[in-house]
Amino acid sequence: MLRAVRSEVWKLLTSRSMILVAAGAVVLPVLLAYASGLNSDSHAAMRIATRGRGFEAAGFGQPLIILLASLIVSSEYANGQIRTSLAATPKRTRLLTAKTIVTAVLSTLIGLVATPIAVLLEQWTMANSAGSGFVPVFTREMQGNVLTVALNYILIALIAQSLTVITRSIIATIVVLVPMVLGFTIGLVPMFPILRFLPDLAGIQLLTRYPGIPLLAPLPGALVMTTWAIMMLVLSMVFFDRQDINA
């Protein structure tokens, strides 16, 4: 297994597209937090508490997390490298498990790196805009928020990877998941409460809070989103084990 994981890490490090997408997933929330800090009046209007500042940008990293997780599996289908990978690791479940480990670890690192930087940068920008001294605030609750962002990134990444394996198409994954995480469904929740159990909405409050919308609380939402991820992973293992890679 360790050899298979090392092989997947090497593929990632030698892929320009995956490196660029991973870098974008770190940089985009940071840039948006900086822009949000410049427009500090919006925070007064929205009444965003100090503990929530900077976390609102985390949702914009999700599309790139989805793209990255999809690329980890779809790139091998596109260039035919999947045959070479299976020759080196004949057990398909072991190969997909290695990819899953890389996807989970990478998405976790992105969440743990990008989120604190975004939070502190937004605070610094707001302090500069107001002409006051920069006093960083990073409470224990905010530290917990960073962990929930990382958890959301892991789960959405695993769902994206699994959907890509099942459909063998990065386009299908992007078309299905990206509009969901960009908020196309959240406005429908008051009319159709059942939608809050969709994977994107179930765990959305792991990123930031949405008061006034009947969403699941963070803990039950995390459990529902985790259930989605596990079911999708199991299905992807079954599909991958039976797929004709020559088709």
Side-chain angles (χ1 to χ4, degrees):
M1 177 58 70
L2 184 59
R3 180 180 177 183
V5 171
R6 280 201 299 257
S7 175
E8 293 304 317
V9 171
W10 177 249
K11 292 173 192 174
L12 173 66
L13 294 176
T14 55
S15 170
R16 182 179 300 178
S17 60
M18 283 191 270
I19 290 174
L20 288 175
V21 173
V26 173
V27 172
L28 182 60
V30 172
L31 291 178
L32 291 174
Y34 174 74
S36 182
L38 290 176
N39 187 20
S40 57
D41 290 342
S42 66
H43 289 285
M46 295 170 62
R47 298 181 181 178
I48 296 178
T50 300
R51 66 179 182 273
R53 291 173 185 162
F55 291 97
E56 73 276 11
F60 293 96
Q62 281 186 306
L64 291 173
I65 293 291
I66 290 169
L67 178 58
L68 180 61
S70 300
L71 282 172
I72 289 174
V73 292
S74 67
S75 58
E76 293 202 79
Y77 284 116
N79 58 24
Q81 190 180 355
I82 187 67
R83 300 182 187 89
T84 304
S85 297
L86 286 174
T89 310
K91 291 185 177 180
R92 295 192 177 193
T93 53
R94 178 176 295 179
L95 175 62
L96 189 53
T97 300
K99 291 181 180 293
T100 301
I101 291 171
V102 171
T103 298
V105 171
L106 184 58
S107 56
T108 302
L109 290 176
I110 291 172
L112 293 179
V113 170
T115 309
I117 295 174
V119 170
L120 293 174
L121 181 61
E122 183 165 329
Q123 291 182 29
W124 176 79
T125 309
M126 291 180 68
N128 277 2
S129 299
S132 59
F134 172 53
V135 181
V137 177
F138 213 82
T139 64
R140 182 166 296 181
E141 182 180 3
M142 294 169 75
Q143 294 172 20
N145 289 351
V146 171
L147 296 178
T148 62
V149 170
L151 175 60
N152 181 282
Y153 278 12
I154 295 170
L155 296 174
I156 200 66
L158 295 180
I159 291 170
Q161 176 194 281
S162 300
L163 185 58
T164 305
V165 171
I166 293 168
T167 63
R168 297 179 64 169
S169 170
I170 188 173
I171 301 299
T173 301
I174 291 173
V175 168
V176 171
L177 291 181
V178 170
M180 293 172 70
V181 300
L182 288 179
F184 283 28
T185 52
I186 192 169
L188 299 174
V189 173
M191 292 182 290
F192 305 102
I194 191 68
L195 294 179
R196 62 184 176 166
F197 292 98
L198 289 174
D200 63 312
L201 293 180
I204 196 170
Q205 294 205 113
L206 295 173
L207 299 174
T208 189
R209 302 297 183 263
Y210 289 82
I213 301 177
L215 297 166
L216 296 174
L219 180 56
L223 293 175
V224 171
M225 196 175 183
T226 300
T227 302
W228 274 101
I230 292 172
M231 289 192 304
M232 293 293 290
L233 278 172
V234 171
L235 280 175
S236 68
M237 289 285 184
V238 173
F239 272 75
F240 188 62
D241 195 46
R242 299 179 179 181
Q243 280 176 353
D244 180 6
I245 62 170
N246 296 309

